């Protein structure tokens, strides 16, 4: 083994991933979301919000992997390979994109607090849809050993709300 390899080994420690709130509002337990797919964590563990405005920001540094054609959900991935689904409102797929203005597309690089777009909370309510928004880590079991939630209730978009301890 050369001197360089002996003294300059790469540090293999993994860094945690910081998660910021994608919107202004109140954080609620995922278990309280009135949709069993999310409340029973079938899609993964994460956060739920009751938004008080429709401005949506990137919760992480990474890449947009998908914007659903109905604009109600955005898939993202961190450089560490953590997959994230941001689902705006509940049963909002039925609105076929009405009330949503998403300004990113698949392949876009994003940084924490970059604008992802907006959604019209009044329109969702008018159409009888829940505004509850969910941020879940869809490959949680594969990539994450722990979700550390910061003590927060009311949050502003961009506020750090937790961190992921990677496996």
């Amino acid at each position: 083994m050369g001197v360089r390899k002996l003294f300059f080994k790469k540090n293999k420690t993994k860094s945690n991933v910081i998660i910021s709130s994608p919107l202004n509002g109140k954080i609620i337990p995922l278990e309280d979301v009135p949709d069993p797919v999310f409340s029973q964590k079938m899609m993964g563990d994460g956060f739920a919000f009751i938004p008080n405005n429709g401005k949506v920001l990137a919760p992480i540094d990474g890449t947009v992997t998908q914007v659903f054609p109905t604009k109600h959900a955005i898939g993202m991935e961190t450089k560490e390979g953590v997959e994230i689904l941001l689902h705006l409102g509940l049963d909002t797929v039925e609105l076929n994109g009405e009330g949503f203005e998403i300004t990113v597309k698949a392949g876009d690089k994003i940084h924490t607090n970059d604008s992802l777009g907006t959604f019209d909370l009044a329109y969702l309510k008018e159409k009888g849809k829940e505004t509850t928004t969910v941020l879940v880590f869809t490959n949680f079991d594969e990539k994450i050993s722990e979700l550390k939630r910061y003590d927060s209730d009311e949050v502003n978009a961009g506020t750090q709300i937790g961190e992921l301890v990677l496996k």
Side-chain angles (χ1 to χ4, degrees):
M1 182 181 285
V3 172
R4 186 157 184 73
K5 286 185 179 177
L6 183 63
F7 292 105
F8 298 100
K9 288 184 180 178
K10 281 193 171 180
N11 186 348
K12 297 276 187 187
T13 60
K14 295 182 179 183
S15 60
N16 294 348
V17 176
I18 302 296
I19 305 300
S20 293
S21 179
L23 35 78
N24 292 337
K26 180 179 179 173
I27 294 181
I28 62 170
L30 201 57
E31 295 81 9
D32 291 351
V33 173
D35 182 325
V37 170
F38 295 117
S39 65
Q40 295 175 20
K41 301 181 183 178
M42 293 179 206
M43 296 288 293
D45 201 352
F47 297 91
F49 308 87
I50 298 174
N52 60 25
N53 74 31
K55 189 169 96 172
V56 184
L57 302 183
I60 50 96
D61 289 340
T63 304
V64 175
T65 55
Q66 182 177 14
V67 175
F68 287 66
T70 50
K71 304 177 191 172
H72 75 289
I74 303 166
M76 296 163 268
E77 186 173 352
T78 69
K79 70 180 189 304
E80 297 85 2
V82 175
E83 297 170 357
I84 298 166
L85 174 67
L86 179 61
H87 196 281
L88 305 170
L90 300 176
D91 296 324
T92 47
V93 67
E94 298 167 1
L95 298 176
N96 292 315
E98 291 294 318
F100 298 90
E101 184 64 42
I102 304 303
T103 56
V104 293
K105 63 187 181 318
D108 285 354
K109 298 291 183 202
I110 53 173
H111 298 284
T112 303
N113 301 333
D114 283 354
S115 176
L116 300 179
T118 60
F119 67 122
D120 186 336
L121 302 181
Y123 181 79
L124 268 62
K125 289 176 185 173
E126 176 186 312
K127 295 297 180 182
K129 303 300 178 193
E130 286 273 345
T131 60
T132 303
T133 293
V134 178
L135 176 73
V136 292
F137 310 102
T138 56
N139 60 348
F140 192 95
D141 292 339
E142 176 189 330
K143 292 283 185 179
I144 301 164
S145 63
E146 181 185 359
L147 168 56
K148 293 183 179 179
R149 298 170 195 276
Y150 298 165
D151 189 22
S152 52
D153 184 22
E154 290 287 328
V155 293
N156 291 318
T159 304
Q160 293 182 356
I161 56 172
E163 73 186 273
L164 306 174
V165 178
L166 303 178
K167 288 186 176 180

